[in-house]
Amino acid sequence: MEKSSSLNVFVVKDIPKLNIFKTFDCGQCFRFNPVNYFGHKYEFEGVAFSKYVVFAQDNDNEIYIYNSTEEDYHNIWKKFLSLDVDYESINEKIKDATNSEHMKEAVDYGDGIRILRQNDWECICSFIISQNNNIPRIKKIIESLCSKYGDEHNYNEAKYYSFPSYQVLSNLTEKDIFDLKTGFRAKYILDAAKKISSGEIDLEKIHSSDDFDYCLKELSKIKGIGPKVASCALLFGFEKTEAFPIDVWMKRALLKYFPNGIDLNKLGKTAGIAQQYLFYYEKYNQKP
DNA sequence: CCCCAGGTCGTCA
DNA sequence: TGACGACATGGG
């Protein structure tokens, strides 16, 4: 795939500390992959909000956004990358609230990660697929879901596909979804699509709600959504940064570093970001 | 053959 | 409430 010829690029300068590699490598999104089209230090291509995009970076304080105009940046990517959020002060608050050397190390190790603000429905569906599954296979299933039922777009003779809407999926059969190798998750995906497209579950209402327990309760109405999947969707798709997903890696990290428990109330709205630092630290910082 | 993967469900005590 | 096996699939 040769894309370098005629992609327009928008450069964002003087940004607060952001690390493209960590942000797209830390397991929060499934449709971005490393490439090397333009010769930057880090380059990740993917599709979000129905647009093909490449984020690239050579140093701390600027990024290149390929296939993006300045309008796209202000309308979509700035918010997607959480470039309007002051992570410097969040990091300080996390360190203060936990008062833990381990957390301090995790924050410094993961510094530059941004919690992406992804599409809420895509997050719900993707994290349903993620359960009892590994990341390469999660990505594979999501791509086949998109190429089969998403909208096709063309760019520079290459095809890419948007994430399919819940309306489209709600009209499929369980077998249609099962045939994408989703396994026992097929009925969960269908249940989510149906409950949302029927209006039984209102994503807008969840998105704008400040009542976190209400949000958890609503998403838990969907078969196949438990506390972990709901928390991931709320954190990565609904902008609920107080969400604190606990998976196998987080269980290990909490057991090791916080055997007496961690005070989520004290972390408040920074809990989800603290969680992501701990997760990244535990999973990727292989120490003897 | 085994075990595991960014879990949840149904069942049984 | 909490424990426990089942669940589809593919890679190690």
Side-chain angles (χ1 to χ4, degrees):
Chain A
M1 270 211 279
E2 186 50 61
K3 293 177 186 290
S4 54
S5 49
S6 60
L7 283 183
N8 52 354
V9 56
F10 182 69
V11 185
V12 192
K13 298 186 178 183
D14 301 319
I15 53 170
K17 194 183 288 178
L18 158 66
N19 186 302
I20 288 292
F21 179 83
K22 293 180 193 175
T23 297
F24 288 96
D25 185 53
C26 74
Q28 60 177 320
C29 63
F30 300 106
R31 295 202 70 195
F32 279 83
N33 295 297
V35 292
N36 190 11
Y37 296 143
F38 309 108
H40 296 290
K41 188 173 175 192
Y42 307 125
E43 298 176 5
F44 281 79
E45 76 169 348
V47 181
F49 297 100
S50 300
K51 277 186 169 290
Y52 172 83
V53 68
V54 179
F55 297 107
Q57 183 170 40
D58 294 312
N59 58 55
D60 266 0
N61 53 11
E62 64 181 30
I63 59 168
Y64 302 81
I65 310 181
Y66 288 86
N67 195 26
S68 170
T69 60
E70 184 168 2
E71 286 74 17
D72 287 338
Y73 171 68
H74 285 108
N75 294 334
I76 308 173
W77 306 125
K78 185 174 180 179
K79 186 178 176 196
F80 180 64
L81 295 170
S82 285
L83 282 174
D84 53 332
V85 180
D86 179 6
Y87 269 66
E88 195 95 30
S89 64
I90 288 174
N91 292 353
E92 289 313 307
K93 187 178 173 191
I94 291 172
K95 290 178 184 176
D96 284 351
T98 49
N99 192 26
S100 147
E101 280 306 310
H102 299 299
M103 182 62 91
K104 199 171 175 186
E105 258 191 62
V107 171
D108 292 339
Y109 183 75
D111 191 22
I113 291 178
R114 299 308 179 90
I115 301 292
L116 296 170
R117 290 193 281 227
Q118 305 177 61
N119 176 265
D120 46 19
W121 158 246
E122 179 172 339
C123 273
I124 288 174
C125 201
S126 298
F127 281 97
I128 285 175
I129 292 168
S130 80
Q131 67 178 262
N132 203 39
N133 212 342
N134 57 64
I135 288 180
R137 217 172 76 86
I138 297 165
K139 288 184 167 185
K140 201 185 256 179
I141 292 171
I142 290 173
E143 283 320 305
S144 53
L145 181 66
C146 294
S147 58
K148 186 116 197 220
Y149 298 112
D151 291 330
E152 182 178 316
H153 302 268
N154 293 292
Y155 203 92
N156 276 12
E157 314 213 348
K159 288 178 180 166
Y160 65 90
Y161 300 87
S162 62
F163 195 89
S165 67
Y166 48 81
Q167 290 93 342
V168 167
L169 295 193
S170 69
N171 289 317
L172 301 178
T173 65
E174 191 181 319
K175 186 182 180 306
D176 291 331
I177 303 177
F178 187 88
D179 287 344
L180 302 167
K181 311 296 183 190
T182 51
F184 61 88
R185 307 164 192 85
K187 54 183 174 292
Y188 301 158
I189 296 167
L190 192 56
D191 189 58
K194 286 191 165 165
K195 281 183 175 144
I196 294 165
S197 59
S198 74
E200 184 180 340
I201 293 172
D202 186 342
L203 298 189
E204 286 294 318
K205 205 169 160 190
I206 296 171
H207 217 123
S208 59
S209 171
D210 287 325
D211 182 349
F212 187 72
D213 289 333
Y214 162 81
C215 297
L216 263 184
K217 198 158 60 75
E218 283 301 295
L219 290 186
S220 303
K221 287 180 181 172
I222 296 166
K223 281 271 171 240
I225 294 195
K228 156 64 171 63
V229 170
S231 300
C232 281
L234 290 172
L235 177 59
F236 303 125
F238 289 86
E239 307 180 44
K240 311 300 182 202
T241 55
E242 64 267 53
F244 195 84
I246 299 176
D247 70 325
V248 289
W249 295 98
M250 280 302 294
K251 270 178 197 157
R252 285 172 209 153
L254 291 175
L255 211 58
K256 264 201 262 180
Y257 308 130
F258 294 90
N260 301 317
I262 185 166
D263 189 345
L264 294 183
N265 286 326
K266 209 165 173 186
L267 280 164
K269 287 268 186 190
T270 66
I273 298 148
Q275 177 276 158
Q276 200 58 23
Y277 287 137
L278 270 183
F279 173 82
Y280 190 70
Y281 182 67
E282 181 64 15
K283 185 166 181 185
Y284 297 96
N285 184 28
Q286 308 293 3
K287 290 177 298 186

